[in-house]
mmCIF file of all heavy atoms in Angstrom:
data_model
loop_
_atom_site.group_PDB
_atom_site.id
_atom_site.type_symbol
_atom_site.label_atom_id
_atom_site.label_comp_id
_atom_site.label_asym_id
_atom_site.label_seq_id
_atom_site.Cartn_x
_atom_site.Cartn_y
_atom_site.Cartn_z
ATOM 1 N N ALA A 396 0.836 -1.205 0.000
ATOM 2 C CA ALA A 396 0.000 0.000 0.000
ATOM 3 C C ALA A 396 0.871 1.255 0.000
ATOM 4 O O ALA A 396 0.572 2.240 -0.683
ATOM 5 C CB ALA A 396 -0.932 -0.005 1.209
ATOM 6 N N CYS A 397 1.955 1.196 0.764
ATOM 7 C CA CYS A 397 2.878 2.340 0.797
ATOM 8 C C CYS A 397 3.547 2.542 -0.558
ATOM 9 O O CYS A 397 3.745 3.670 -1.012
ATOM 10 C CB CYS A 397 3.932 2.126 1.869
ATOM 11 S SG CYS A 397 3.256 2.105 3.533
ATOM 12 N N GLN A 398 3.895 1.429 -1.212
ATOM 13 C CA GLN A 398 4.487 1.526 -2.538
ATOM 14 C C GLN A 398 3.480 2.092 -3.538
ATOM 15 O O GLN A 398 3.834 2.841 -4.450
ATOM 16 C CB GLN A 398 4.973 0.147 -2.992
ATOM 17 C CG GLN A 398 6.080 -0.448 -2.124
ATOM 18 C CD GLN A 398 7.352 0.380 -2.136
ATOM 19 O OE1 GLN A 398 7.942 0.623 -3.179
ATOM 20 N NE2 GLN A 398 7.774 0.844 -0.954
ATOM 21 N N SER A 399 2.196 1.718 -3.377
ATOM 22 C CA SER A 399 1.146 2.251 -4.256
ATOM 23 C C SER A 399 0.970 3.753 -4.059
ATOM 24 O O SER A 399 0.725 4.495 -5.012
ATOM 25 C CB SER A 399 -0.184 1.542 -3.982
ATOM 26 O OG SER A 399 -0.117 0.190 -4.355
ATOM 27 N N MET A 400 1.080 4.202 -2.811
ATOM 28 C CA MET A 400 0.971 5.634 -2.529
ATOM 29 C C MET A 400 2.150 6.399 -3.139
ATOM 30 O O MET A 400 2.007 7.551 -3.551
ATOM 31 C CB MET A 400 0.913 5.864 -1.024
ATOM 32 C CG MET A 400 -0.378 5.418 -0.374
ATOM 33 S SD MET A 400 -0.409 5.742 1.402
ATOM 34 C CE MET A 400 -0.413 7.531 1.412
ATOM 35 N N GLU A 401 3.290 5.737 -3.207
ATOM 36 C CA GLU A 401 4.497 6.384 -3.728
ATOM 37 C C GLU A 401 4.487 6.496 -5.254
ATOM 38 O O GLU A 401 5.050 7.444 -5.814
ATOM 39 C CB GLU A 401 5.711 5.563 -3.286
ATOM 40 C CG GLU A 401 7.021 5.956 -3.913
ATOM 41 C CD GLU A 401 8.113 4.957 -3.582
ATOM 42 O OE1 GLU A 401 8.150 4.465 -2.440
ATOM 43 O OE2 GLU A 401 8.929 4.676 -4.466
ATOM 44 N N TYR A 402 3.840 5.549 -5.909
ATOM 45 C CA TYR A 402 3.895 5.453 -7.373
ATOM 46 C C TYR A 402 3.462 6.736 -8.096
ATOM 47 O O TYR A 402 4.171 7.221 -8.989
ATOM 48 C CB TYR A 402 3.057 4.258 -7.836
ATOM 49 C CG TYR A 402 2.933 4.125 -9.328
ATOM 50 C CD1 TYR A 402 3.974 3.586 -10.083
ATOM 51 C CD2 TYR A 402 1.783 4.528 -9.992
ATOM 52 C CE1 TYR A 402 3.863 3.462 -11.458
ATOM 53 C CE2 TYR A 402 1.658 4.411 -11.367
ATOM 54 C CZ TYR A 402 2.699 3.871 -12.095
ATOM 55 O OH TYR A 402 2.578 3.758 -13.457
ATOM 56 N N PRO A 403 2.303 7.349 -7.750
ATOM 57 C CA PRO A 403 1.918 8.587 -8.442
ATOM 58 C C PRO A 403 2.925 9.711 -8.233
ATOM 59 O O PRO A 403 3.181 10.501 -9.146
ATOM 60 C CB PRO A 403 0.561 8.933 -7.809
ATOM 61 C CG PRO A 403 0.048 7.641 -7.275
ATOM 62 C CD PRO A 403 1.264 6.907 -6.805
ATOM 63 N N ALA A 404 3.494 9.804 -7.029
ATOM 64 C CA ALA A 404 4.473 10.853 -6.751
ATOM 65 C C ALA A 404 5.744 10.650 -7.572
ATOM 66 O O ALA A 404 6.333 11.618 -8.086
ATOM 67 C CB ALA A 404 4.818 10.874 -5.255
ATOM 68 N N TYR A 405 6.171 9.420 -7.711
ATOM 69 C CA TYR A 405 7.380 9.101 -8.462
ATOM 70 C C TYR A 405 7.211 9.500 -9.933
ATOM 71 O O TYR A 405 8.059 10.198 -10.517
ATOM 72 C CB TYR A 405 7.674 7.599 -8.355
ATOM 73 C CG TYR A 405 9.149 7.264 -8.289
ATOM 74 C CD1 TYR A 405 9.732 6.801 -7.125
ATOM 75 C CD2 TYR A 405 9.952 7.392 -9.410
ATOM 76 C CE1 TYR A 405 11.075 6.488 -7.057
ATOM 77 C CE2 TYR A 405 11.299 7.079 -9.356
ATOM 78 C CZ TYR A 405 11.859 6.627 -8.184
ATOM 79 O OH TYR A 405 13.192 6.321 -8.122
ATOM 80 N N ASN A 406 6.109 9.070 -10.543
ATOM 81 C CA ASN A 406 5.871 9.386 -11.953
ATOM 82 C C ASN A 406 5.664 10.876 -12.173
ATOM 83 O O ASN A 406 6.156 11.445 -13.159
ATOM 84 C CB ASN A 406 4.656 8.610 -12.467
ATOM 85 C CG ASN A 406 5.031 7.213 -12.917
ATOM 86 O OD1 ASN A 406 6.183 6.799 -12.791
ATOM 87 N ND2 ASN A 406 4.070 6.478 -13.427
ATOM 88 N N ALA A 407 4.926 11.517 -11.268
ATOM 89 C CA ALA A 407 4.679 12.950 -11.400
ATOM 90 C C ALA A 407 5.975 13.741 -11.228
ATOM 91 O O ALA A 407 6.194 14.750 -11.915
ATOM 92 C CB ALA A 407 3.647 13.410 -10.372
ATOM 93 N N LEU A 408 6.848 13.307 -10.333
ATOM 94 C CA LEU A 408 8.120 13.992 -10.117
ATOM 95 C C LEU A 408 9.000 13.914 -11.362
ATOM 96 O O LEU A 408 9.613 14.914 -11.762
ATOM 97 C CB LEU A 408 8.849 13.382 -8.918
ATOM 98 C CG LEU A 408 10.229 13.965 -8.588
ATOM 99 C CD1 LEU A 408 10.130 15.468 -8.308
ATOM 100 C CD2 LEU A 408 10.828 13.246 -7.382
ATOM 101 N N ILE A 409 9.057 12.747 -11.993
ATOM 102 C CA ILE A 409 9.843 12.601 -13.215
ATOM 103 C C ILE A 409 9.314 13.530 -14.303
ATOM 104 O O ILE A 409 10.084 14.179 -15.017
ATOM 105 C CB ILE A 409 9.823 11.137 -13.699
ATOM 106 C CG1 ILE A 409 10.547 10.242 -12.695
ATOM 107 C CG2 ILE A 409 10.479 11.001 -15.076
ATOM 108 C CD1 ILE A 409 10.323 8.773 -12.916
ATOM 109 N N ALA A 410 7.988 13.616 -14.420
ATOM 110 C CA ALA A 410 7.389 14.508 -15.415
ATOM 111 C C ALA A 410 7.685 15.970 -15.094
ATOM 112 O O ALA A 410 7.975 16.769 -15.998
ATOM 113 C CB ALA A 410 5.883 14.277 -15.479
ATOM 114 N N ASP A 411 7.621 16.331 -13.814
ATOM 115 C CA ASP A 411 7.857 17.722 -13.404
ATOM 116 C C ASP A 411 9.252 18.204 -13.780
ATOM 117 O O ASP A 411 9.429 19.353 -14.204
ATOM 118 C CB ASP A 411 7.680 17.865 -11.884
ATOM 119 C CG ASP A 411 6.224 17.940 -11.475
ATOM 120 O OD1 ASP A 411 5.348 17.985 -12.367
ATOM 121 O OD2 ASP A 411 5.956 17.966 -10.258
ATOM 122 N N ILE A 412 10.250 17.342 -13.611
ATOM 123 C CA ILE A 412 11.639 17.789 -13.784
ATOM 124 C C ILE A 412 12.170 17.533 -15.195
ATOM 125 O O ILE A 412 13.356 17.758 -15.461
ATOM 126 C CB ILE A 412 12.567 17.095 -12.763
ATOM 127 C CG1 ILE A 412 12.612 15.582 -12.985
ATOM 128 C CG2 ILE A 412 12.134 17.414 -11.342
ATOM 129 C CD1 ILE A 412 13.583 14.850 -12.094
ATOM 130 N N THR A 413 11.283 17.122 -16.110
ATOM 131 C CA THR A 413 11.725 16.768 -17.460
ATOM 132 C C THR A 413 10.872 17.474 -18.504
ATOM 133 O O THR A 413 9.643 17.501 -18.407
ATOM 134 C CB THR A 413 11.617 15.240 -17.677
ATOM 135 O OG1 THR A 413 12.213 14.557 -16.576
ATOM 136 C CG2 THR A 413 12.326 14.835 -18.959
ATOM 137 N N TYR A 414 11.528 18.021 -19.522
ATOM 138 C CA TYR A 414 10.802 18.640 -20.627
ATOM 139 C C TYR A 414 10.045 17.580 -21.424
ATOM 140 O O TYR A 414 10.465 16.419 -21.497
ATOM 141 C CB TYR A 414 11.762 19.388 -21.553
ATOM 142 C CG TYR A 414 12.309 20.659 -20.945
ATOM 143 C CD1 TYR A 414 13.590 20.697 -20.401
ATOM 144 C CD2 TYR A 414 11.542 21.824 -20.923
ATOM 145 C CE1 TYR A 414 14.100 21.860 -19.835
ATOM 146 C CE2 TYR A 414 12.040 22.995 -20.358
ATOM 147 C CZ TYR A 414 13.313 23.008 -19.819
ATOM 148 O OH TYR A 414 13.811 24.158 -19.252
ATOM 149 N N THR A 415 8.943 17.991 -22.055
ATOM 150 C CA THR A 415 8.105 17.062 -22.815
ATOM 151 C C THR A 415 8.917 16.273 -23.837
ATOM 152 O O THR A 415 8.762 15.059 -23.966
ATOM 153 C CB THR A 415 6.978 17.819 -23.535
ATOM 154 O OG1 THR A 415 6.166 18.507 -22.565
ATOM 155 C CG2 THR A 415 6.099 16.873 -24.330
ATOM 156 N N LYS A 416 9.801 16.954 -24.542
ATOM 157 C CA LYS A 416 10.585 16.298 -25.597
ATOM 158 C C LYS A 416 11.553 15.251 -25.045
ATOM 159 O O LYS A 416 12.019 14.379 -25.786
ATOM 160 C CB LYS A 416 11.362 17.342 -26.397
ATOM 161 C CG LYS A 416 12.389 18.127 -25.585
ATOM 162 C CD LYS A 416 13.076 19.190 -26.423
ATOM 163 C CE LYS A 416 14.072 20.011 -25.607
ATOM 164 N NZ LYS A 416 15.164 19.200 -25.068
ATOM 165 N N ASP A 417 11.868 15.334 -23.755
ATOM 166 C CA ASP A 417 12.820 14.407 -23.138
ATOM 167 C C ASP A 417 12.152 13.311 -22.312
ATOM 168 O O ASP A 417 12.840 12.433 -21.788
ATOM 169 C CB ASP A 417 13.787 15.173 -22.221
ATOM 170 C CG ASP A 417 14.676 16.124 -22.994
ATOM 171 O OD1 ASP A 417 15.048 15.788 -24.132
ATOM 172 O OD2 ASP A 417 14.997 17.205 -22.450
ATOM 173 N N ARG A 418 10.831 13.340 -22.194
ATOM 174 C CA ARG A 418 10.175 12.449 -21.246
ATOM 175 C C ARG A 418 10.249 10.971 -21.622
ATOM 176 O O ARG A 418 10.363 10.118 -20.749
ATOM 177 C CB ARG A 418 8.704 12.862 -21.053
ATOM 178 C CG ARG A 418 8.597 14.012 -20.071
ATOM 179 C CD ARG A 418 7.218 14.213 -19.518
ATOM 180 N NE ARG A 418 7.169 15.560 -18.989
ATOM 181 C CZ ARG A 418 6.252 16.449 -19.280
ATOM 182 N NH1 ARG A 418 5.282 16.137 -20.108
ATOM 183 N NH2 ARG A 418 6.300 17.662 -18.753
ATOM 184 N N GLU A 419 10.206 10.683 -22.911
ATOM 185 C CA GLU A 419 10.304 9.270 -23.271
ATOM 186 C C GLU A 419 11.666 8.710 -22.856
ATOM 187 O O GLU A 419 11.756 7.587 -22.368
ATOM 188 C CB GLU A 419 10.074 9.071 -24.770
ATOM 189 C CG GLU A 419 9.955 7.601 -25.138
ATOM 190 C CD GLU A 419 9.234 7.374 -26.444
ATOM 191 O OE1 GLU A 419 8.174 8.003 -26.663
ATOM 192 O OE2 GLU A 419 9.719 6.558 -27.248
ATOM 193 N N ARG A 420 12.702 9.508 -23.019
ATOM 194 C CA ARG A 420 14.037 9.074 -22.585
ATOM 195 C C ARG A 420 14.086 8.940 -21.060
ATOM 196 O O ARG A 420 14.669 7.993 -20.528
ATOM 197 C CB ARG A 420 15.107 10.061 -23.049
ATOM 198 C CG ARG A 420 15.283 10.124 -24.562
ATOM 199 C CD ARG A 420 16.512 10.946 -24.937
ATOM 200 N NE ARG A 420 16.415 12.316 -24.485
ATOM 201 C CZ ARG A 420 17.374 12.964 -23.827
ATOM 202 N NH1 ARG A 420 18.505 12.346 -23.512
ATOM 203 N NH2 ARG A 420 17.213 14.223 -23.475
ATOM 204 N N ALA A 421 13.470 9.895 -20.366
ATOM 205 C CA ALA A 421 13.501 9.891 -18.903
ATOM 206 C C ALA A 421 12.754 8.685 -18.332
ATOM 207 O O ALA A 421 13.252 7.990 -17.436
ATOM 208 C CB ALA A 421 12.897 11.182 -18.356
ATOM 209 N N PHE A 422 11.558 8.420 -18.845
ATOM 210 C CA PHE A 422 10.794 7.272 -18.356
ATOM 211 C C PHE A 422 11.440 5.959 -18.791
ATOM 212 O O PHE A 422 11.391 4.964 -18.068
ATOM 213 C CB PHE A 422 9.340 7.350 -18.834
ATOM 214 C CG PHE A 422 8.490 8.279 -18.009
ATOM 215 C CD1 PHE A 422 8.218 9.570 -18.430
ATOM 216 C CD2 PHE A 422 7.957 7.863 -16.805
ATOM 217 C CE1 PHE A 422 7.442 10.435 -17.671
ATOM 218 C CE2 PHE A 422 7.174 8.711 -16.028
ATOM 219 C CZ PHE A 422 6.915 10.003 -16.461
ATOM 220 N N SER A 423 12.033 5.961 -19.959
ATOM 221 C CA SER A 423 12.768 4.781 -20.418
ATOM 222 C C SER A 423 13.932 4.490 -19.482
ATOM 223 O O SER A 423 14.202 3.328 -19.141
ATOM 224 C CB SER A 423 13.288 5.013 -21.849
ATOM 225 O OG SER A 423 14.188 4.005 -22.241
ATOM 226 N N LEU A 424 14.625 5.538 -19.031
ATOM 227 C CA LEU A 424 15.749 5.367 -18.108
ATOM 228 C C LEU A 424 15.279 4.779 -16.783
ATOM 229 O O LEU A 424 15.942 3.896 -16.214
ATOM 230 C CB LEU A 424 16.434 6.721 -17.874
ATOM 231 C CG LEU A 424 17.676 6.708 -16.980
ATOM 232 C CD1 LEU A 424 18.797 5.906 -17.632
ATOM 233 C CD2 LEU A 424 18.147 8.137 -16.682
ATOM 234 N N GLN A 425 14.144 5.246 -16.265
ATOM 235 C CA GLN A 425 13.627 4.711 -15.012
ATOM 236 C C GLN A 425 13.239 3.241 -15.154
ATOM 237 O O GLN A 425 13.505 2.416 -14.267
ATOM 238 C CB GLN A 425 12.413 5.526 -14.558
ATOM 239 C CG GLN A 425 12.715 6.986 -14.274
ATOM 240 C CD GLN A 425 13.821 7.172 -13.253
ATOM 241 O OE1 GLN A 425 13.852 6.499 -12.223
ATOM 242 N NE2 GLN A 425 14.736 8.082 -13.536
ATOM 243 N N TYR A 426 12.617 2.914 -16.262
ATOM 244 C CA TYR A 426 12.233 1.528 -16.538
ATOM 245 C C TYR A 426 13.475 0.646 -16.652
ATOM 246 O O TYR A 426 13.501 -0.487 -16.148
ATOM 247 C CB TYR A 426 11.429 1.514 -17.837
ATOM 248 C CG TYR A 426 10.996 0.165 -18.333
ATOM 249 C CD1 TYR A 426 10.294 -0.713 -17.523
ATOM 250 C CD2 TYR A 426 11.273 -0.219 -19.644
ATOM 251 C CE1 TYR A 426 9.879 -1.949 -18.003
ATOM 252 C CE2 TYR A 426 10.857 -1.445 -20.132
ATOM 253 C CZ TYR A 426 10.164 -2.308 -19.306
ATOM 254 O OH TYR A 426 9.755 -3.522 -19.780
ATOM 255 N N LEU A 427 14.503 1.175 -17.287
ATOM 256 C CA LEU A 427 15.770 0.461 -17.421
ATOM 257 C C LEU A 427 16.373 0.188 -16.047
ATOM 258 O O LEU A 427 16.810 -0.927 -15.740
ATOM 259 C CB LEU A 427 16.738 1.280 -18.278
ATOM 260 C CG LEU A 427 18.106 0.685 -18.571
ATOM 261 C CD1 LEU A 427 17.973 -0.594 -19.386
ATOM 262 C CD2 LEU A 427 18.972 1.703 -19.334
ATOM 263 N N GLY A 428 16.384 1.209 -15.193
ATOM 264 C CA GLY A 428 16.931 1.052 -13.844
ATOM 265 C C GLY A 428 16.178 0.021 -13.036
ATOM 266 O O GLY A 428 16.781 -0.797 -12.322
ATOM 267 N N ALA A 429 14.854 0.041 -13.146
ATOM 268 C CA ALA A 429 14.040 -0.921 -12.406
ATOM 269 C C ALA A 429 14.405 -2.347 -12.786
ATOM 270 O O ALA A 429 14.492 -3.240 -11.935
ATOM 271 C CB ALA A 429 12.552 -0.667 -12.683
ATOM 272 N N ASN A 430 14.657 -2.570 -14.061
ATOM 273 C CA ASN A 430 14.938 -3.923 -14.520
ATOM 274 C C ASN A 430 16.389 -4.338 -14.341
ATOM 275 O O ASN A 430 16.669 -5.528 -14.226
ATOM 276 C CB ASN A 430 14.501 -4.067 -15.978
ATOM 277 C CG ASN A 430 13.007 -4.233 -16.107
ATOM 278 O OD1 ASN A 430 12.471 -5.316 -16.014
ATOM 279 N ND2 ASN A 430 12.312 -3.107 -16.272
#
C-alpha cells in the first residue's frame, strides 16, 4: 500500500523535472533502472 501511494508521486516527479521532448528518454531510463 505504501508503494502504491508512492507510485503517483514518483511518476509525477519525473514529469515535473523533465521537458516534454525528453520524457520518453527519462521514463525509459527509469524503466531500465528498475529492470
